[in-house]
Amino acid sequence: SQTIHQWPATLVQPVGSPLSLECTVEGTSNPNLYWYRQAAGRGLQLLFYSVGIGQISSEVPQNLSASRPQDRQFILSSKKLLLSDSGFYLCAWSEFTGGEAFFGQGTRLTVV
Amino acid sequence: ILNVEQSPQSLHVQEGDSTNFTCSFPSSNFYALHWYRWETAKSPEALFVMTLNGDEKKKGRISATLNTKEGYSYLYIKGSQPEDSATYLCASNNAGNMLTFGGGTRLMVKP
């Protein structure tokens, strides 16, 4: 069966520090991978998605970037965190674009 | 990006009450409508994926209907229990495109 792992669960980082959140999927190959952020009153906001290794699409211009160095690994990064980057981040995968999404446990990021 | 809206934003009900909430989405080029339940400290889990106009799906005390012509879906919970307390998210997409999530309905069931 497929599983998705996301870490860390919580993170407190100072403003201006770098960020790296990692997500891996097991039990499937060539999944679509997503990074979402919980936006107040807006449910889940799609930040990045990837349909294959090295293929990244950004939905929202911001202080973050994503990379997919391996088929089942998706990384969310920032070179310098802003206070506004605080929030709850979720990684997810699906078999195809627009298919049912399976979510990781999420990361609560607090930038201080 | 589609405009997917949910109402109400939050809802308080007593244990045993039945309740329902709404998801509206663009009806043109519709492909699928998803409902997810998101409990505190857990990750969202899919309840239903619906594609056909008039479709109705049921899982225990929870059911959902879909009207693709007018662009809305209802989620019903019969005899709410405290364990039903969660945020319920709907998401819609056009063929080949990403899911767009609504703002969610936060349900709180009081014992």
Side-chain angles (χ1 to χ4, degrees), chain A residues 30-50:
Chain A
N30 198 33
N32 280 14
L33 296 172
Y34 310 89
W35 278 109
Y36 287 92
R37 178 166 61 193
Q38 184 181 20
R42 293 175 59 189
L44 295 179
Q45 182 184 39
L46 180 62
L47 301 176
F48 300 95
Y49 66 93
S50 171

Side-chain angles (χ1 to χ4, degrees), chain B residues 7-67:
Chain B
S7 63
Q9 238 180 2
S10 65
L11 191 56
H12 291 75
V13 301
Q14 287 294 138
E15 182 176 355
D17 288 350
S18 294
T19 187
N20 65 86
F21 22 94
T22 307
C23 173
S24 62
F25 53 88
S27 56
S28 60
N29 300 315
F30 170 83
Y31 181 74
L33 189 284
H34 299 219
W35 281 102
Y36 292 83
R37 178 165 67 190
W38 191 2
E39 296 179 67
T40 302
K42 296 185 178 180
S43 49
E45 291 186 346
L47 287 171
F48 307 112
V49 180
M50 309 170 78
T51 57
L52 299 176
N53 183 47
D55 206 4
E56 181 171 345
K57 295 206 172 184
K58 189 175 180 181
K59 185 182 288 187
R61 294 178 291 99
I62 303 177
S63 61
T65 60
L66 180 65
N67 183 323

Side-chain angles (χ1 to χ4, degrees), chain B residues 6 39 76:
Chain B
Q6 291 186 247
E39 296 179 67
Y76 300 90

Side-chain angles (χ1 to χ4, degrees), chain A residues 32-72:
Chain A
N32 280 14
L33 296 172
Y34 310 89
W35 278 109
Y36 287 92
R37 178 166 61 193
Q38 184 181 20
R42 293 175 59 189
L44 295 179
Q45 182 184 39
L46 180 62
L47 301 176
F48 300 95
Y49 66 93
S50 171
V51 298
I53 296 175
Q55 300 178 60
I56 308 295
S57 296
S58 173
E59 288 291 305
V60 182
Q62 56 205 310
N63 186 41
L64 302 169
S65 62
S67 61
R68 185 171 177 172
Q70 300 181 45
D71 181 44
R72 290 168 288 174

